[in-house]
Amino acid sequence: MEKILGFGGFFFRAEDPTALAEWYRVHLGIDPVPGDYDTPCWIQEAGETVFAPFEKTTEYFGNREKPFMLNFRVRDLDRFVAQLEAAGIDVRPDPASPYPTGGFAWLDDPEGEPSELW
């Protein structure tokens, strides 16, 4: 059976796509989609990817009106959290971290979409 190799992209609606792409570039280091075919796209570092449907009523994502939460792997969670906080971004570290699989922290982008740092 053929299998998916990994995520090739994540597409979502935004009130202000240009501003939101810039926020992700500045604060999370994710390059926006290039405007031509010669410029490479953002290349993520290979590693584990968790694909996990949750119950529709989960509280894990925070705002129950949000249908998804992105999870980003980071090299040094404490340094990443400090960097975001220095930029004035509200980050909520998991007080029970670290777990055997690592530590976690949560933040929302400017349009309120939740993300988890791992």
Side-chain angles (χ1 to χ4, degrees), residues 27-71:
H27 298 293
L28 301 185
I30 299 173
D31 296 329
V33 176
D36 59 66
Y37 290 104
D38 296 322
T39 306
C41 294
W42 171 59
I43 298 174
Q44 63 180 317
E45 188 174 306
E48 296 176 280
T49 301
V50 176
F51 186 85
F54 277 69
E55 292 289 334
K56 192 169 186 168
T57 58
T58 187
E59 299 289 332
Y60 191 72
F61 304 173
N63 183 343
R64 291 181 74 193
E65 293 180 12
K66 302 299 181 179
F68 66 87
M69 177 179 69
L70 297 172
N71 173 287

Side-chain angles (χ1 to χ4, degrees), residues 24 28 30 42 70-74 107 114-118:
Y24 276 94
L28 301 185
I30 299 173
W42 171 59
L70 297 172
N71 173 287
F72 296 109
R73 287 179 278 112
V74 300
L107 67 145
S115 290
E116 179 177 70
L117 304 176
W118 174 25

